[in-house]
Each structure stands twice: as structure tokens, then as C-alpha cells.
């Protein structure tokens, strides 16, 4: 199946710093990528939908200035957590769609565990 | 509002037994129902998916049963193995919209 690479897998940073997470579709072009947040033992919460060449669409309650998303190419989307604080500590997961409708052919990255000290 | 309700929250099954996880939805517009398997510290991986025009789909030890009139679907894992121990998420989507995930079921298969 298609591969989505997410990097880094784990990051620890100090409060107030910014962290960038990359999501790459390795063997297909993804016009749409999605970013999720997952708290321990909970489900995935959609944060934003990232479309190549246009502004991301954020879900209600997600601060767009806090979580900057850039989808500059068909194979790369980045999520930058700006001025991170301990409450931003979470597991962040990206996914990319390999054509088809929204739910189909959706492949997930391996996730990034962010810990803000 | 939880679009897809999943139960049980956790499940313990003996090796060789059948694991059953249930999901229910309200939105009749949903037309795609996947199940994902997630191991700790990893992203979800698509396990099996079904569309509402069929009532059952089987892939190896994994079977989805779909009841359109009841708006319910379930995942059956036959001959459960310790390696199946993971968190399972059901999901649903329609048209060009994104997936709505269930709350997850943590499955533990005891040797």
C-alpha cells in the first residue's frame, strides 16, 4: 500500500519554542492531507485539512495561528506548533489521500509524540 | 457530538477466541465504513472497509458485518492472536467529507 512518512517520531522541546512536523507521501501525490491530534487512550481529533497550494481548513476550536499548516507540494505538508506550551503535548498524526473520495485510500503517518517541557 | 459510537471501550479475549467490536451511526449519508488498527506510538493502519451495498465483507480472519437498517456495523476477528492486541477504531465518511472516527476499542488477546 501507499506510504506516508512522518518526521520526527518524537520531539521534546522547551515551552515557548516552535516545532515543525513533516508529513510526506512517498509513492503518490496527495492533493489533500489531514492533521489529527490524539490524546492518550482517546480517538483521533481532526485538526485541519491541508490542500496543496491553498490555505488549510481548520476545525472549530483549533487555533490557526498556533498550528501553522503548509502544503507547498503534492508530497509534503508541514505542521508547525508555534510557541509551544505543555498543554500542546500530544500525539500528532497526519494522513494523506491517494485519490478517491475522502474516506477511501487514506493512509496515515506513524505519528509524532510531542512533549513540551 | 460523536458521529460514530463504538463499544466496548476495552475487550479481553482468549487466544483463539472471537473478538467483536460494534459501531453505530446516525447519519444515513455515510457511505464508507473502514476499520483501523493502531499499535501504541504508531499511526492507524487500514484493516478492512465496507460500503453499505453489501452486508458482509471478509478478509482473512477479519470480517465486517453491516446492518444498514439498524445503522450498525461490527468487526469480527476470528481466531484472535496476541499479535492482534491493539486499539481498533471504526470510522465513517460520505462524499468528499473526512472520516469520523469512533472512540476506539483496546483489544487484549491473552495467550
Amino acid at each position: 500500500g501507499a506510504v506516508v512518512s512522518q518526521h520526527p517520531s518524537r520531539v521534546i522541546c522547551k515551552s515557548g519554542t516552535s516545532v515543525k512536523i513533516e508529513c510526506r507521501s512517498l509513492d503518490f501525490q496527495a492533493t489533500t492531507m489531514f492533521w489529527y491530534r490524539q490524546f492518550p487512550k482517546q480517538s483521533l481529533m481532526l485538526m485541519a485539512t491541508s490542500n496543496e497550494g491553498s490555505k488549510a481548513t481548520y476545525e472549530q476550536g483549533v487555533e490557526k495561528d498556533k498550528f501553522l499548516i503548509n502544503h507547498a507540494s503534492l508530497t509534503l505538508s508541514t505542521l508547525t506548533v508555534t510557541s509551544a506550551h505543555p498543554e500542546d503535548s500530544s500525539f500528532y498524526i497526519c494522513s494523506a489521500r491517494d485519490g478517491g473520495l475522502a474516506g477511501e485510500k487514506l493512509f496515515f503517518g506513524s505519528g509524532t509524540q510531542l512533549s513540551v517541557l | 457530538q460523536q458521529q460514530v459510537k463504538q463499544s466496548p471501550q476495552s475487550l479481553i479475549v482468549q487466544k483463539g477466541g472471537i473478538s467483536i467490536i460494534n459501531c453505530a451511526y446516525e447519519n444515513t449519508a455515510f457511505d464508507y465504513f473502514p476499520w483501523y488498527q493502531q499499535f501504541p506510538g504508531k499511526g492507524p493502519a487500514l484493516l478492512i472497509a465496507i460500503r453499505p451495498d453489501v452486508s458482509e465483507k471478509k478478509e482473512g480472519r477479519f470480517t465486517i458485518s453491516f446492518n444498514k437498517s439498524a445503522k450498525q456495523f461490527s468487526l469480527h476477528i476470528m481466531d484472535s492472536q496476541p499479535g492482534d492486541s491493539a486499539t481498533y477504531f471504526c470510522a465513517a465518511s460520505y462524499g468528499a467529507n473526512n472520516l469520523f472516527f469512533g472512540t476506539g476499542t483496546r483489544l487484549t488477546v491473552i495467550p
Side-chain angles (χ1 to χ4, degrees), chain A residues 34 36 38 41-44 46 91 93 97 101-106 108-111, chain B residues 32 36 38 41-44 46 51 89 93 95-99 101-104 106:
Chain A
F34 305 90
Y36 300 83
Q38 186 178 32
K41 300 182 181 181
Q42 293 191 22
S43 189
L44 285 74
L46 179 65
F91 192 57
I93 307 172
R97 191 166 70 218
L101 296 175
E104 295 182 72
K105 300 183 180 180
L106 193 64
F108 287 82
S110 55
Chain B
Y32 180 71
Y36 286 86
Q38 185 180 29
K42 300 294 182 183
L46 179 65
R51 289 199 167 274
F89 292 96
S93 70
N97 294 283
N98 193 36
L99 285 171
F101 284 90
T103 49
R106 177 172 285 194

Side-chain angles (χ1 to χ4, degrees), chain A residues 4-21:
Chain A
V4 174
S5 174
Q6 187 173 341
H7 179 80
S9 59
R10 182 178 294 272
V11 58
I12 301 172
C13 69
K14 292 183 178 180
S15 185
T17 61
S18 294
V19 174
K20 179 184 283 188
I21 303 170

Side-chain angles (χ1 to χ4, degrees), chain A residues 26-65:
Chain A
L26 296 185
D27 51 0
F28 66 98
Q29 292 184 330
T31 54
T32 304
M33 290 186 174
F34 305 90
W35 287 95
Y36 300 83
R37 185 172 181 176
Q38 186 178 32
F39 291 103
K41 300 182 181 181
Q42 293 191 22
S43 189
L44 285 74
M45 292 174 45
L46 179 65
M47 297 175 65
T49 302
S50 167
N51 293 295
E52 186 266 337
S54 63
K55 290 184 178 180
T57 302
Y58 290 82
E59 295 299 302
Q60 190 173 12
V62 178
E63 300 176 59
K64 58 182 65 176
D65 294 331

Side-chain angles (χ1 to χ4, degrees), chain B residues 36-85:
Chain B
Y36 286 86
Q37 178 188 58
Q38 185 180 29
F39 292 103
K42 300 294 182 183
L46 179 65
L47 200 58
I48 188 172
I50 198 169
R51 289 199 167 274
D53 52 346
V54 297
S55 60
E56 185 175 282
K57 183 174 182 180
K58 184 176 181 179
E59 289 184 2
R61 296 186 294 110
F62 301 94
T63 300
I64 298 179
S65 296
F66 186 82
N67 187 328
K68 188 174 182 178
S69 61
K71 292 184 285 187
Q72 296 175 347
F73 59 110
S74 61
L75 175 69
H76 294 231
I77 305 175
M78 311 300 286
D79 187 26
S80 298
Q81 299 296 313
D84 296 331
S85 297

